[in-house]
Amino acid sequence: VSATGVFLDIGPFPAWVTEIEIPFNGISTNGTTDWGVQLVDSGGVEVTGYSGGCANTAGGQAAPTSLAQVAYTNLSSTVGTGTIRLVLAKAATNKWSINSQLVRVGASYGDFGCFTKSLSGTLTHVRLTTFNGTDTFDAGTFGGAKYR
């Protein structure tokens, strides 16, 4: 799936899904805001309650609560390749573990994220979006999500 637009929804996923892997290649945005993942259930897009952090091997880190951050200190010239993996950690509370790794193509560092998020209902989609909601994805692809 081409990475274009302010956000990209991946899914829908069957209710029985317990693990999702989303590979991405050559992703960039037209601005400098960071980007990440928001979960979607029957109540809509979850925009609060993410717990965890994202860091890069160059020494930066952040702990947003509005999404599971994948790219830290994003630049419009930065291109990232990696994987986002979601695992249902606790079925009774629809609690998901969201882990990501991103390699900066042409740079000497990478980004790593680890978050959890409980949902009020069953996960239906994964939304890839930028922090400010106005920068757009302008290059790269998100591979076909594998799930089980």
Side-chain angles (χ1 to χ4, degrees):
V1 176
S2 292
T4 57
V6 174
F7 66 87
L8 177 65
D9 285 345
I10 306 225
F13 296 106
W16 50 261
V17 166
T18 59
E19 190 173 330
I20 301 168
E21 184 174 288
I22 305 167
F24 56 92
N25 184 40
I27 300 299
S28 74
T29 67
N30 68 347
T32 58
T33 191
D34 298 329
W35 63 272
V37 172
Q38 292 176 322
L39 304 185
V40 183
D41 63 14
S42 58
V45 180
E46 297 282 337
V47 297
T48 61
Y50 295 83
S51 178
C54 183
N56 66 33
T57 56
Q61 61 186 4
T65 59
S66 61
L67 52 66
Q69 188 171 351
V70 174
Y72 178 77
T73 61
N74 194 41
L75 303 171
S76 60
S77 60
T78 301
V79 176
T81 295
T83 305
I84 302 164
R85 187 166 181 254
L86 297 90
V87 176
L88 183 60
K90 188 172 182 182
T93 60
N94 287 308
K95 185 174 189 175
W96 288 84
S97 171
I98 308 152
N99 300 291
S100 61
Q101 58 187 17
L102 175 145
V103 174
R104 303 288 179 134
V105 177
S108 59
Y109 62 96
D111 300 354
F112 304 91
C114 185
F115 289 83
T116 61
K117 172 69 176 133
S118 293
L119 301 175
S120 57
T122 303
L123 177 73
T124 61
H125 292 79
V126 173
R127 174 168 284 189
L128 303 151
T129 189
T130 60
F131 265 92
N132 66 6
T134 57
D135 286 355
T136 61
F137 293 103
D138 62 1
T141 58
F142 288 99
K146 300 174 188 174
Y147 59 87
R148 58 185 179 132

